[in-house]
Amino acid sequence: MATSVFKLDERLEGDSLPVCELPLCAVRLMRDARFPWLLLVPRRADASEIIDLEEADREMLMREIALASHALRDSLEVCDKINVGSLGNMVPQLHVHVIARVVGDAAWPGPVWGSGVAEPWARGKGEALARTLAARLKSPA
């Protein structure tokens, strides 16, 4: 029986910038300046739900969610709340959203999904934040 090879979903790839690779997850920054928003995509082929992961991978995913949450909060001037979610209704490949929220942001207090239209990062700003996040994720304090 052939094993499947992990390949990042085209929509996730197109909607985000690469940040770094953690032991389990590819980390990506959404192309939406309204909400600093990371995607953690476990590099496990055919996983669509957290329960599809082996127990050790589920534990690693939780550690990486915490690491990404700290890195995101610590990289921003203002972060009032971190939202974490795994929906997969539009893209079935398992991915976890880690979103920095600010009271009064474009979707506050509701969810970010379906709220308005994504706004591109100002030239170089998304890439700069991705580099900052990568440095924090690779060398957590």
Side-chain angles (χ1 to χ4, degrees):
M1 177 179 201
T3 58
S4 299
V5 175
F6 173 80
K7 181 177 180 333
L8 183 63
D9 180 273
E10 290 178 5
R11 182 164 177 180
L12 296 180
E13 185 173 16
D15 287 349
S16 62
L17 300 166
V19 173
C20 69
E21 301 284 323
L22 295 175
L24 176 65
C25 294
V27 182
R28 309 211 29 115
L29 176 65
M30 288 295 287
R31 295 179 190 271
D32 189 349
R34 299 173 306 150
F35 313 105
W37 177 350
L38 292 174
L39 296 177
L40 278 66
V41 186
R43 291 184 309 279
R44 298 296 184 259
D46 302 324
S48 60
E49 305 292 344
I50 292 172
I51 59 173
D52 294 338
L53 299 174
E54 297 293 328
E55 183 175 357
D57 283 346
R58 287 194 306 268
E59 291 171 1
M60 178 64 72
L61 178 59
M62 288 306 301
R63 286 192 295 274
E64 292 182 4
I65 289 169
L67 182 65
S69 297
H70 282 289
L72 189 56
R73 182 178 64 190
D74 295 345
S75 296
L76 303 172
E77 289 183 30
V78 180
C79 176
D80 296 317
K81 182 77 175 91
I82 296 286
N83 291 175
V84 176
S86 174
L87 287 90
N89 297 341
M90 300 292 288
V91 177
Q93 182 175 56
L94 177 58
H95 60 286
V96 176
H97 304 266
V98 179
I99 310 163
R101 301 295 304 273
V102 175
V103 173
D105 69 27
W108 190 267
V112 298
W113 294 279
S115 176
V117 177
E119 295 178 9
W121 289 96
R123 185 178 186 136
K125 295 274 189 183
E127 292 81 1
L129 179 55
R131 286 190 301 274
T132 298
L133 289 163
R136 287 188 185 274
L137 288 164
K138 291 176 184 176
S139 301

